[in-house]
């Protein structure tokens, strides 16, 4: 149930919002990225993000949204009949109640994934959640926000994602993988920045270097283009 009365709530209402989250959209689509790619999935997009990546395709989620009870979110997710749920943003971890939502969704029996920028602490995320953690490259203009402390928390259940904006970004990412020993921690995804790097060029660079990373394209953009709610 949407409660718009909380839309403009100030800090004095914080206590009332303990079991609520500000949600930009909830929709049903195919998972376009990472390990669960291709599965029918319900996406819960949380409002807000403290980063400003130059290639961001969800700027519409920076501010717009309504407050939902956690119960209402879980109920709405269930109404689509999908096994997979992806909690995304924005930066979902920017709202502390996101941790409670993730646990509630796991308890309800869903296969839950979390898409996060890599700038915030992932330590409190329920261990049943598959975490897809970005490593921001220089081309994103947010590389200074990478939270290196997160790397030691990653398991084989998680994935690291690099969005590559140029050949320089690719070379930087290769060096970063080595420097932090990331390939041994979890699966690593390299994705071309939409409209900035031709997908075939990135594929060729990976093959030429015999780099042990997983190339991926955003399936939803191939199917539907760059549109919200897909
Ligand atoms: S972290 Fe994600 S939502 Fe935030 S600005 Fe970067 S791409 Fe956009």
């Amino acid at each position: 149930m949407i409660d718009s009365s909380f839309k403009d709530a100030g800090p004095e209402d914080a206590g009332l919002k303990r079991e609520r989250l500000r949600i930009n959209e909830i929709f049903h689509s195919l998972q376009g990225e990472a390990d669960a790619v291709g599965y029918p999935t319900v996406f819960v997009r949380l409002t807000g993000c403290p980063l400003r990546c130059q290639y961001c395709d969800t700027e519409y989620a920076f501010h717009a949204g309504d407050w939902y009870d956690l119960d209402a979110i879980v109920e709405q997710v269930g109404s689509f009949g999908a096994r997979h749920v992806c909690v995304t943003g924005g930066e979902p971890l920017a709202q502390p109640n996101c941790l409670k939502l993730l646990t509630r969704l796991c308890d309800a029996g869903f296969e839950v994934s979390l898409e996060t920028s890599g700038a915030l602490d992932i330590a409190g995320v329920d261990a049943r959640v598959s975490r897809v953690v970005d490593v921001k490259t220089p081309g994103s203009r947010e590389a200074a926000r990478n939270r290196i402390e997160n790397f030691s928390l990653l398991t084989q259940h998680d994935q690291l994602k690099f969005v590559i904006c140029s050949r320089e970004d690719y070379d930087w990412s290769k060096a970063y993988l080595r420097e932090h020993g990331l390939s041994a921690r979890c699966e690593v995804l390299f994705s071309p920045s939409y409209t900035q790097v031709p997908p075939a060029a990135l594929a060729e660079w990976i093959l030429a270097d015999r780099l042990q990373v997983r190339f991926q394209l955003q399936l939803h953009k191939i199917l539907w283009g760059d549109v919200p709610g897909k």
Side-chain angles (χ1 to χ4, degrees):
M1 174 193 310
I2 299 176
D3 185 349
S4 296
S5 66
F6 282 84
K7 208 168 180 173
D8 301 315
E12 67 278 9
D13 297 306
L16 294 174
K17 294 194 294 185
R18 271 201 305 272
E19 297 293 330
R20 292 166 188 259
L21 282 167
R22 197 166 183 208
I23 301 291
N24 178 265
E25 57 181 350
I26 297 177
F27 62 96
H28 185 228
S29 185
L30 294 185
Q31 175 57 269
E33 303 188 56
D35 217 25
V37 66
Y39 283 119
T41 299
V42 180
F43 291 83
V44 180
R45 188 181 308 287
L46 274 61
T47 300
C49 181
L51 281 69
R52 290 295 179 267
C53 305
Q54 60 82 13
Y55 49 65
C56 185
D57 56 4
T58 52
E59 291 174 325
Y60 59 89
F62 287 168
H63 304 292
D66 292 299
W67 291 99
Y68 282 58
D69 295 331
L70 296 193
D71 287 342
I73 298 169
V74 175
E75 187 184 325
Q76 190 164 334
V77 167
S79 73
F80 292 100
R83 190 160 57 90
H84 292 264
V85 186
C86 178
V87 176
T88 187
E91 167 50 76
L93 295 179
Q95 297 189 55
N97 275 345
C98 178
L99 298 177
K100 290 182 187 165
L101 174 65
L102 291 166
T103 294
R104 292 280 303 274
L105 291 168
C106 290
D107 289 347
F110 295 107
E111 294 283 333
V112 183
S113 61
L114 168 73
E115 295 181 340
T116 176
S117 66
L120 301 184
D121 188 3
I122 62 169
V125 175
D126 193 298
R128 294 170 289 180
V129 174
S130 174
R131 299 169 296 192
V132 182
V133 179
D134 290 352
V135 175
K136 297 300 180 187
T137 63
S140 74
R141 301 191 193 135
E142 289 285 19
R145 307 293 289 268
N146 289 322
R147 186 180 162 85
I148 289 166
E149 297 89 333
N150 278 341
F151 296 155
S152 63
L153 303 172
L154 296 167
T155 72
Q156 293 298 318
H157 195 40
D158 302 316
Q159 297 187 291
L160 276 173
K161 186 177 91 174
F162 292 71
V163 176
I164 309 290
C165 303
S166 64
R167 175 72 207 201
E168 291 71 32
D169 253 14
Y170 171 79
D171 290 333
W172 179 92
S173 301
K174 237 180 12 174
Y176 198 86
L177 280 180
R178 267 198 311 273
E179 182 188 344
H180 295 282
L182 297 178
S183 301
R185 294 208 171 273
C186 65
E187 189 166 63
V188 175
L189 308 170
F190 271 26
S191 187
S193 175
Y194 193 64
T195 75
Q196 289 189 287
V197 169
L202 177 58
E204 295 292 349
W205 299 338
I206 291 169
L207 290 172
D209 286 340
R210 310 284 195 267
L211 201 61
Q212 296 305 302
V213 298
R214 185 171 172 185
F215 171 87
Q216 70 158 14
L217 291 174
Q218 293 175 297
L219 176 65
H220 50 292
K221 288 187 182 167
I222 296 170
L223 291 171
W224 295 294
D226 191 7
V227 294
K230 286 292 189 184

